[in-house]
Amino acid sequence: AQSVTQPDIHITVSEGASLELRCNYSYGATPYLFWYVQSPGQGLQLLLKYFSGDTLVQGIKGFEAEFKRSQSSFNLRKPSVHWSDAAEYFCAVALNNNDMRFGAGTRLTVKP
Amino acid sequence: EPEVTQTPSHQVTQMGQEVILRCVPISNHLYFYWYRQILGQKVEFLVSFYNNEISEKSEIFDDQFSVERPDGSNFTLKIRSTKLEDSAMYFCASSFGLGETQYFGPGTRLLVL
């Protein structure tokens, strides 16, 4: 069955520390891959996306993600987290960007 | 920067009532979508719309739901007879084409009492 898994429901990191949020997918073919961020009471903002080409994708706000076909993963990283990064992060996949499936989300808390 | 807008931001309704959620997609976008997020759960795809017809819909999008593009700018989601379990945040999104990024609106929080 097609699925998107974010194994970590909640992650806490200290400000300035590095961050990695995990995302795994199960699809028959390589889908389009996305990371969105949702701040409390806000909509979904696109951080970055992978369609094809270079497997290391740079996004906004200093985020990057790496597509690893062998692991069916698309993990989100940031070298140094800021307090304003506290939010909910969603990995999403789509076979043709017409029907986007979201993971359950990872809530990020940033400690001072 | 152009953005997707949604109205109202919050809506409270009685069970069994009809609600219409409104969205104004980005003006040159051709594909339109509705998603919902029940509190504490994942964002779920409801429906996509292109060229004045539904192109994809999920199993959630049953006969009580309908979508419409009544004019050149608005895209609406109607829930005919709301149920308690329809309480959720409803997000509209739009994209220029297939394979293009979907841009999301801020959402409408619907509460069915």
Side-chain angles (χ1 to χ4, degrees), chain A residues 4 32 34 36 38 41-44 46 49 51 90 96-104, chain B residues 31 33 35 37 41-43 45 48 55-56 91 95 97-102 104-106:
Chain A
V4 184
Y32 299 124
F34 308 83
Y36 283 87
Q38 183 182 32
Q42 303 293 311
L44 296 162
L46 179 71
K49 63 188 178 189
F51 286 178
F90 292 94
N96 58 10
N97 203 35
N98 200 24
D99 174 359
M100 189 177 292
R101 304 295 175 109
F102 285 80
Chain B
Y31 289 78
Y33 313 85
Y35 293 82
Q37 184 183 28
Q41 298 187 24
K42 67 172 70 176
V43 177
F45 169 78
S48 61
S55 49
E56 298 272 352
F91 291 105
S95 67
L98 279 179
E100 300 288 333
T101 301
Q102 293 184 29
F104 284 76

Side-chain angles (χ1 to χ4, degrees), chain A:
Chain A
Q2 299 170 343
S3 66
V4 184
T5 303
Q6 292 180 248
D8 305 304
I9 296 172
H10 184 204
I11 282 182
T12 300
V13 299
S14 297
E15 191 168 16
S18 65
L19 171 71
E20 182 167 27
L21 303 182
R22 296 182 290 166
C23 174
N24 294 93
Y25 64 90
S26 173
Y27 271 74
T30 299
Y32 299 124
L33 298 158
F34 308 83
W35 276 99
Y36 283 87
V37 61
Q38 183 182 32
S39 298
Q42 303 293 311
L44 296 162
Q45 182 183 23
L46 179 71
L47 287 175
L48 47 76
K49 63 188 178 189
Y50 173 79
F51 286 178
S52 64
D54 193 345
T55 57
L56 185 62
V57 182
Q58 301 298 319
I60 62 171
K61 304 185 181 188
F63 285 92
E64 66 178 26
E66 186 171 12
F67 167 59
K68 292 186 177 179
R69 186 189 306 272
S70 61
Q71 298 176 16
S72 296
S73 69
F74 188 58
N75 294 348
L76 182 72
R77 300 194 293 249
K78 186 168 184 177
S80 177
V81 168
H82 189 261
W83 64 266
S84 60
D85 293 325
E88 186 99 16
Y89 291 81
F90 292 94
C91 178
V93 303
L95 279 180
N96 58 10
N97 203 35
N98 200 24
D99 174 359
M100 189 177 292
R101 304 295 175 109
F102 285 80
T106 297
R107 184 159 60 91
L108 174 66
T109 298
V110 180
K111 291 190 303 187

